[in-house]
Amino acid sequence: MRRILFAVAAAGALSALGACTASGGEEVNTPGLADRGVTMTTVKPTRQDLTNKVSLTGKVQLSPTFGLVAPIDGEIRYLDVKASTSTPTKPTKVANIWVSGKATPIEVPAGAIFSGRLVDDRSKVTAGMPIVSAKQVGYGVVADIDGSQAYQISDKLESVQAQIKSGPGPFPCTVLGTLAALPAGTIPEPVTPTPNPTASAAPPRVIGQQQQQQPSEPTGMRLVCIPPADVKAINGAAATVEVITARAANALVLPVEAVAGSQGKGKVDVVKADQTRETREVTLGLSDGKVIEIKSGLTGDETVAVPGPNLPAAKNQEPMPGFTK
């Protein structure tokens, strides 16, 4: 019995010693050092060309409507535009934007007809605001844009390619107007001069095509482009539109899993020679969904941990007066 009690006591003592560290306290974790037994995956930055692409679903449409935007801030003053009796071969001047006594003309491009005012006459407008609607004479490719794609392609369009399903393509497609959604256009009635009672009676004025012209209907957010003249188009045919918004040559990149953050700012965990980790801030650029451009913050010689660092959780906000947690 005495031997059994001694063995139990010795086992307890060894267990207690195993639970202590050299300092006699709790177990110490080295900051930045991975836990024992954890297999760490690492990568090194590489360089490659990057292209930011957005794919849109569209269709061929006859006489699509597109919008023109104000190029500058100012006051818009519309002109009275006569209805076209044929396809315009020259740009059609439809308004001026006035700033400090100087007028900037607004013109509907050749091959399209004016189809509506989008804001009130003599109203203040800002650069980029849709102000005029126009209708392309002939075929175009119209692709709808949802909210998640809008800001990806609104700033810059480097090139646009279209492919008609089971038909021609891919071919370059020339973008018309703005990508923004358009309100319904308005075309004012032509003004009939007040008759002079002292003048001899004149035959009644006949209102021709100006009265028959239909203003444009509202549209959603979409891209409108026109194919080359030699492309055979069929109204209603399905199409795919590929938009390239930006390119980066020989960019320094990491897998997206190695980076935390977005909107131009991020963080990565750099693994040092002693296996400790240092969280470093980086500036982000283009991404193709697999890799992301590192514009600054790394030299390219670092070893980076995968996955990237966890961003700190948002701190609980203080309760507003009158409320309790």
Side-chain angles (χ1 to χ4, degrees):
M1 176 65 73
R2 184 176 297 177
R3 289 182 178 179
I4 294 175
L5 290 174
F6 178 78
V8 171
L14 289 173
S15 176
L17 285 173
C20 297
T21 63
S23 62
E26 297 179 353
E27 185 177 355
V28 177
N29 291 324
T30 304
L33 187 63
D35 294 335
R36 180 175 296 178
V38 174
T39 301
M40 186 183 300
T41 302
T42 60
V43 295
K44 280 188 169 292
T46 58
R47 289 193 176 274
Q48 69 176 66
D49 294 342
L50 268 183
T51 301
N52 192 22
K53 298 180 182 179
V54 179
S55 184
L56 305 173
T57 300
K59 63 180 180 180
V60 177
Q61 184 175 317
L62 186 62
S63 301
T65 297
F66 62 96
L68 302 177
V69 301
I72 57 173
D73 298 353
E75 180 183 280
I76 187 166
R77 300 180 189 176
Y78 289 102
L79 305 177
D80 290 328
V81 181
K82 294 182 179 180
S84 298
T85 57
S86 61
T87 302
T89 57
K90 297 180 180 180
T92 304
K93 186 176 179 180
V94 296
N96 287 308
I97 296 181
W98 287 85
V99 181
S100 301
K102 183 180 179 180
T104 299
I106 305 300
E107 295 180 332
V108 172
I113 59 174
F114 169 74
S115 60
R117 304 176 178 184
L118 301 183
V119 297
D120 293 333
D121 189 31
R122 295 182 176 271
S123 60
K124 299 293 183 182
V125 296
T126 58
M129 178 186 295
I131 54 174
V132 170
S133 62
K135 187 171 291 187
Q136 174 67 18
V137 178
Y139 288 105
V141 178
V142 179
D144 294 328
I145 301 171
D146 62 34
S148 63
Q149 298 167 320
Y151 287 95
Q152 289 181 272
I153 62 178
S154 62
D155 293 335
K156 187 178 181 182
L157 302 178
E158 281 216 352
S159 67
V160 176
Q161 297 273 329
Q163 168 74 58
I164 298 176
K165 186 176 181 180
S166 301
F171 50 80
C173 207
T174 305
V175 176
L176 297 175
T178 179
L179 307 180
L182 305 179
T186 60
I187 299 178
E189 293 289 337
V191 178
T192 303
T194 304
N196 185 350
T198 60
S200 58
R205 182 179 178 186
V206 178
I207 306 297
Q209 293 185 2
Q210 176 77 15
Q211 189 180 31
Q212 299 174 4
Q213 185 176 0
Q214 295 298 316
S216 61
E217 296 182 353
T219 70
M221 207 176 329
R222 61 187 192 167
L223 180 147
V224 178
C225 65
I226 53 175
D230 59 350
V231 171
K232 182 179 180 180
I234 300 176
N235 191 39
T240 299
V241 178
E242 184 181 80
V243 180
I244 296 178
T245 60
R247 302 176 191 267
N250 198 33
L252 188 69
V253 300
L254 280 172
V256 293
E257 295 83 3
V259 182
S262 61
Q263 300 297 324
K265 294 183 179 180
K267 294 184 179 182
V268 299
D269 275 346
V270 175
V271 181
K272 298 182 178 181
D274 60 0
Q275 296 303 297
T276 59
R277 285 183 287 183
E278 173 195 354
T279 299
R280 193 176 298 179
E281 293 186 353
V282 292
T283 303
L284 306 177
L286 300 182
S287 175
D288 62 1
K290 296 180 181 179
V291 297
I292 188 167
E293 179 186 10
I294 307 298
K295 301 182 75 172
S296 66
L298 297 178
T299 64
D301 297 326
E302 298 86 354
T303 299
V304 178
V306 180
N310 292 323
L311 295 180
K315 295 181 180 179
N316 292 331
Q317 296 180 348
E318 291 298 323
M320 296 178 63
F323 290 83
T324 58
K325 291 184 178 181

